[in-house]
Amino acid sequence: MAVNSDGPMGGPTVLIVEDDPSLRLLCRVNLELEHYRVLEAETVTRAREIVASEPVDVVLLDLHVGEQRGLDLLPYLREVRPDAAVCLLSGTSETDPGRPEGAHAFIRKPFELEELTGTVQRLLVREPTRP
């Protein structure tokens, strides 16, 4: 997988798509401590704008982003950033949604920070997506 290293931290870029500002902050601070460049989107619409204009290596995507469905972003991500890895986040009691096309991992909220950083690290070393 080609990994972007142009960010101010010199590391790969992670996009957090989450409507809870405190959870976005927690994720951002911990990922930046691991030397990732972190971008944030509070809506699916904002995430589309970021993905269209910024290189992104990993997307942490909440299943429910306010009134929007996070899964609605997956087809766009596959089209615009096909090599970006996607980790779904969910705080609902639903079971793991499996791996919808375009998703590579699933984390249930609340989660341990080690699970978050370990999952991001694992996604960055996965094999690139083949057409």
Side-chain angles (χ1 to χ4, degrees):
M1 161 174 226
V3 175
N4 170 47
S5 61
D6 297 333
M9 304 296 281
T13 300
V14 178
L15 171 61
I16 304 166
V17 185
E18 168 65 57
D19 59 327
D20 180 341
S22 60
L23 186 56
R24 282 197 320 269
L25 175 64
L26 180 71
C27 292
R28 179 175 52 83
V29 167
N30 283 278
L31 290 168
E32 285 178 346
L33 286 172
E34 297 292 325
H35 306 288
Y36 295 110
R37 175 179 179 238
V38 179
L39 305 172
E40 299 176 45
E42 66 284 350
T43 66
V44 170
T45 303
R46 179 67 183 127
R48 285 176 180 263
E49 293 169 359
I50 291 170
V51 167
S53 64
E54 296 280 345
V56 175
D57 299 301
V58 175
V59 178
L60 300 175
L61 178 60
D62 191 8
L63 286 177
H64 305 284
V65 186
E67 297 297 317
Q68 298 175 302
R69 287 176 18 101
L71 291 177
D72 292 341
L73 183 62
L74 286 176
Y76 184 75
L77 282 169
R78 296 289 53 90
E79 178 184 328
V80 177
R81 300 280 178 217
D83 288 336
V86 177
C87 176
L88 300 176
L89 306 174
S90 178
T92 64
S93 60
E94 66 196 42
T95 59
D96 181 337
R99 297 294 175 267
E101 187 172 338
H104 305 95
F106 177 81
I107 297 177
R108 183 176 317 289
K109 298 186 276 185
F111 49 81
E112 297 292 326
L113 294 173
E114 294 80 13
E115 181 180 10
L116 175 73
T117 56
T119 299
V120 169
Q121 182 179 11
R122 187 177 73 252
L123 290 173
L124 287 167
V125 297
R126 70 179 176 72
E127 290 297 314
T129 304
R130 304 273 186 234

